[in-house]
């Protein structure tokens, strides 16, 4: 068996598994990502000619494949949300992004500095890449397909899905802060702060939002109101158009030096608002979900191989402790604190705080950082090991807990809504 034959075989089995496994484990305390991680680990340990990806060697490839997976998932998340954007309607996600995200970055950076005894630059980079959440790795904690009703989403699923859509773009300033701090050096580190706030925090985010609003409005008009009818793409119900919208928004934002992740999510929300009750949203969402599922399965399979061959052997007990503390202590505490005073019930606040899932976005940010600067090269093996282990831990713990916890929450919600 040649290398290409093995790759074709593994890809075919993986694609079939991505279609079948979600239905097989639907009622079990398991998740499809857990199975693909395990499959990748097992195959990597067997004497088979299947390549094992090493991010240090294959950094550019890892960066672009994870980037593709993230932007497709962002389009799917935005199209799935039924609730119109607003200060009050989106109070939960605003808190998670505006309060919980920076609190998590600060706490994790301090944790890395103390436990790993790292300088501030690599500690901040680790915190920034582990900050964004990724509920796609536990389907129970994200919203379902688009519907006509604006208020049929429970607060936990809605908040976690919208948080994932927003924070994948808004975590980028903290990655850039780590890069800027490392480039400036400890003695002159304060000189970059003003430019970082004006350009990286405010300017690039504003460009991303503006591009998303403009591209989304133009595509919404094209999809639903174009004349002639041949250009009204909603009439033809072709799902691959979602990829066109994704790449267009991302490409324009990146060319204008804005945050492409934020632009894609805003584009999806704007298209959703253009004709909220139209069935075309379901077609677009189903297509993006299928592509996202294939990409995620592929990446998790490769991550499983990397974990057992490279990451876990390089992981220290201190790095493992940081991963455990982030998942079990930092995110739950920061998530609870950030929701203090919100209108959600205590059960909803607890579940939202607990399910801060780490995933593909963390791998992208780290690969991007290594491509943008060589100042972290000495810390590369440990950075990759800690991030990969944290993703593994999140997939296992959250994947196991998601089904029973969310179903119990649903039962309690239905019971409280039923009149005596």
């Amino acid at each position: 068996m040649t290398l290409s034959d093995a790759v074709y075989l593994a890809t075919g089995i993986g694609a079939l598994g991505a279609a079948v496994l979600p239905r097989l484990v639907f009622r079990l305390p398991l998740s499809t990502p857990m199975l693909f991680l395990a499959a990748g680990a097992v195959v990597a340990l067997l004497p088979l000619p299947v390549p094992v990806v090493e991010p240090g060697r294959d950094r550019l490839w890892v960066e672009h494949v994870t980037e593709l997976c993230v932007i497709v998932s962002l389009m799917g998340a935005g199209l799935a949300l039924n609730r119109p954007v607003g200060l009050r309607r989106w109070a939960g996600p605003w808190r998670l992004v505006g309060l919980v995200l920076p609190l998590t970055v600060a706490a994790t950076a301090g944790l890395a500095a103390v436990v790993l005894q790292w300088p501030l630059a690599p500690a901040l980079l680790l915190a920034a890449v582990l900050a964004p959440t990724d509920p796609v790795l536990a389907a129970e904690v994200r919203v379902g397909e688009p519907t006509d009703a604006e208020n049929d989403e429970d607060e936990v699923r809605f908040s976690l899905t919208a948080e994932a859509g927003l924070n994948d773009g808004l975590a980028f300033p903290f990655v850039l802060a780590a890069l800027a701090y490392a480039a400036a050096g400890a003695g002159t580190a304060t000189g970059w702060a003003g430019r970082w706030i004006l350009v990286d925090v405010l300017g690039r985010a504003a460009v991303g939002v503006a591009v998303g609003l403009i591209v989304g409005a133009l595509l919404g008009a094209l999809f639903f109101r174009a004349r002639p009818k041949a250009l009204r793409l909603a009439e033809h119900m072709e799902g691959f158009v979602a990829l066109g919208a994704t790449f267009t928004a991302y490409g324009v934002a990146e060319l204008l030096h804005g945050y492409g992740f934020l632009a894609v999510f805003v584009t999806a929300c704007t298209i959703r608002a253009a004709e909220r009750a139209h069935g075309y949203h379901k077609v677009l969402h189903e297509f993006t979900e299928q592509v996202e599922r294939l990409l995620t399965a592929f990446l998790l399979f490769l991550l499983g191989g990397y974990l057992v061959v490279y990451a876990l052997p390089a992981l220290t007990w201190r790095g493992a402790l940081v991963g455990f503390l982030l998942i079990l202590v930092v995110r739950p505490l920061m998530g609870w604190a950030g929701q203090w005073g919100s209108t959600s019930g205590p059960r909803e606040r607890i579940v939202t705080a607990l399910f801060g899932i780490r995933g593909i976005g963390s791998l992208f940010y780290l690969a991007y950082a290594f491509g943008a600067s060589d100042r972290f090269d000495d810390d590369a093996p440990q950075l990759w090991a800690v991030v990969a282990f944290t993703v593994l831990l999140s997939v296992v713990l959250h994947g196991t807990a998601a089904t029973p916890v969310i179903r119990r929450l649903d039962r309690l919600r239905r019971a409280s809504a039923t009149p005596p």
Side-chain angles (χ1 to χ4, degrees), residues 34-386:
M34 293 169 60
L35 299 179
F36 277 106
L37 272 176
V42 170
V43 170
L45 294 174
L46 295 175
L48 297 174
V50 176
V52 177
V53 172
E54 200 284 305
R57 181 189 63 225
D58 307 310
R59 186 207 62 80
L60 186 62
W61 185 89
V62 171
E63 177 185 343
H64 289 306
V65 177
T66 54
E67 180 181 36
L68 175 61
C69 185
V70 171
I71 61 175
V72 171
S73 70
L74 289 173
M75 176 59 66
L79 291 171
L81 293 170
N82 299 322
R83 196 178 304 185
V85 179
L87 290 178
R88 290 179 178 272
R89 294 189 183 101
W90 282 46
W94 299 141
R95 284 172 173 269
L96 292 173
V97 173
L99 295 175
V100 177
L101 177 65
L103 287 173
T104 302
V105 170
T108 307
L111 192 65
V114 173
V115 176
L116 295 172
Q117 300 177 346
W118 282 359
L120 181 57
L124 179 57
L125 178 61
L126 179 67
V129 302
L130 288 176
T133 57
D134 190 3
V136 69
L137 295 185
E140 284 287 339
V141 299
R142 62 176 179 176
V143 300
E145 63 185 21
T147 66
D148 295 344
E150 295 181 0
N151 299 312
D152 67 344
E153 298 160 337
D154 67 90
E155 195 61 34
V156 171
R157 290 184 175 92
F158 169 75
S159 293
L160 288 173
T161 304
E163 178 197 10
L166 290 167
N167 71 12
D168 265 322
L170 297 180
F172 229 129
F174 295 101
V175 176
L176 297 178
L179 296 174
Y181 183 89
T188 58
T190 57
W192 57 268
R195 184 184 185 280
W196 175 72
I197 293 173
L198 291 175
V199 176
D200 294 331
V201 176
L202 300 177
R204 298 183 70 172
V207 172
V209 172
V211 168
L213 291 172
I214 293 171
V215 172
L218 292 174
L219 291 178
L222 177 67
F223 290 175
F224 303 107
R225 296 183 294 276
R227 296 179 183 276
K229 189 176 180 179
L231 297 178
R232 201 178 308 157
L233 297 179
E235 301 291 334
H236 307 290
M237 293 292 189
E238 292 174 327
F240 71 87
V241 172
L243 290 182
T246 302
F247 297 152
T248 299
Y250 189 75
V252 171
E254 290 294 318
L255 286 173
L256 296 177
H257 304 289
Y259 291 130
F261 287 172
L262 192 57
V264 170
F265 183 69
V266 174
T267 296
C269 293
T270 307
I271 292 173
R272 185 80 172 89
E275 193 74 31
R276 194 166 293 278
H278 201 288
Y280 190 44
H281 296 297
K282 184 177 179 179
V283 175
L284 295 173
H285 176 262
E286 286 179 348
F287 184 85
T288 57
E289 187 177 38
Q290 290 172 354
V291 175
E292 172 194 311
R293 196 188 306 171
L294 285 172
L295 290 171
T296 302
F298 176 64
L299 287 168
L300 289 174
F301 180 86
L302 296 179
L303 179 62
Y306 166 69
L307 277 163
V308 295
V309 174
Y310 296 107
L312 294 181
L315 185 70
T316 65
W317 70 267
R318 293 176 182 271
L321 180 61
V322 169
F324 273 106
L325 290 175
L326 170 63
I327 299 298
L328 299 177
V329 179
V330 173
R331 163 66 191 208
L333 287 179
M334 297 303 105
W336 176 261
Q339 296 177 89
W340 187 262
S342 71
T343 57
S344 299
R347 288 193 297 261
E348 284 74 14
R349 291 200 297 270
I350 291 172
V351 175
T352 302
L354 287 174
F355 282 92
I357 301 169
R358 271 54 193 171
I360 303 303
S362 297
L363 304 176
F364 164 76
Y365 283 122
L366 193 55
Y368 172 89
F370 282 123
S373 173
D374 60 0
R375 296 179 182 270
F376 301 100
D377 288 353
D378 292 340
D379 303 300
Q382 271 302 294
L383 277 166
W384 278 114
V386 174

